[in-house]
C-alpha cells in the first residue's frame, strides 16, 4: 500500500469506491489526465465506473486518457460519455506492450446531463 500511496499516485487526486466494505474500484486524475480507472470485475455493470468517471472529471474542461484496445468494456464506457479516440499506438509506449494503446480525449464539461451507464 505504501508504494501505491507514495509512488504510483504521487500528486494525483484519487477516489476510491467502496461497497459492502470492499474496494469496488478507484480512479485517479493528474491535471487533465485520467490516469487510472479500475473496477473489480465482480462489480462491473452496476454504474460504478460511470459514477467514478463523473465524480473525478466534474468541472474539468478537457480530459485525456489512454486505454488498451482490448478493453472493450472500458472503451464502451468512455465512448458513451463523449470520449473520442484521437490516436492509436503500437503498444511500445505502455508498460504491458499491448497494442493498440488508444489516446482518448473529451472536450468540454462532464455534467449531470450525461447518460447513466
Amino acid at each position: 500500500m505504501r508504494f501505491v500511496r507514495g509512488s504510483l499516485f504521487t500528486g494525483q487526486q484519487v477516489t476510491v469506491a467502496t461497497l459492502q466494505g470492499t474496494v469496488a474500484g478507484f480512479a485517479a486524475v493528474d491535471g487533465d489526465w485520467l490516469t487510472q480507472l479500475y473496477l473489480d470485475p465482480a462489480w462491473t455493470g452496476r454504474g460504478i465506473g460511470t459514477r467514478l468517471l463523473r465524480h473525478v472529471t466534474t468541472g474539468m474542461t478537457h480530459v485525456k486518457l489512454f486505454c488498451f484496445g482490448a478493453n472493450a468494456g472500458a472503451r464502451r464506457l468512455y465512448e458513451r460519455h463523449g470520449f473520442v479516440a484521437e490516436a492509436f499506438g503500437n503498444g511500445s509506449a505502455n508498460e504491458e506492450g499491448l497494442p493498440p494503446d488508444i489516446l482518448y480525449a473529451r472536450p468540454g464539461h462532464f455534467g449531470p446531463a450525461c447518460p447513466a451507464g
Side-chain angles (χ1 to χ4, degrees):
M1 190 57 143
R2 184 177 303 194
F3 167 75
V4 171
R5 247 192 332 256
S7 299
L8 187 60
F9 296 124
T10 301
Q12 298 183 38
Q13 178 66 41
V14 179
T15 300
V16 178
T18 59
L19 295 154
Q20 300 173 358
T22 303
V23 173
F26 63 89
V29 174
D30 186 3
D32 59 355
W33 283 92
L34 176 64
T35 60
Q36 301 280 330
L37 185 110
Y38 172 81
L39 290 179
D40 181 319
W43 293 99
T44 60
R46 301 177 192 208
I48 299 165
T50 292
R51 289 191 293 268
L52 276 169
L53 186 60
R54 283 182 175 169
H55 178 77
V56 300
T57 62
T58 294
M60 296 174 72
T61 56
H62 187 80
V63 184
K64 299 177 279 189
L65 62 92
F66 280 102
C67 182
F68 293 121
N71 193 340
R75 291 179 66 189
R76 282 191 304 271
L77 172 72
Y78 298 136
E79 291 170 6
R80 187 169 56 241
H81 294 290
F83 285 86
V84 177
E86 290 193 339
F88 294 83
N90 64 7
S92 64
N94 67 63
E95 292 177 9
E96 290 82 358
L98 295 174
D101 41 12
I102 304 169
L103 170 63
Y104 276 98
R106 189 198 65 213
H109 177 74
F110 188 50
C114 291

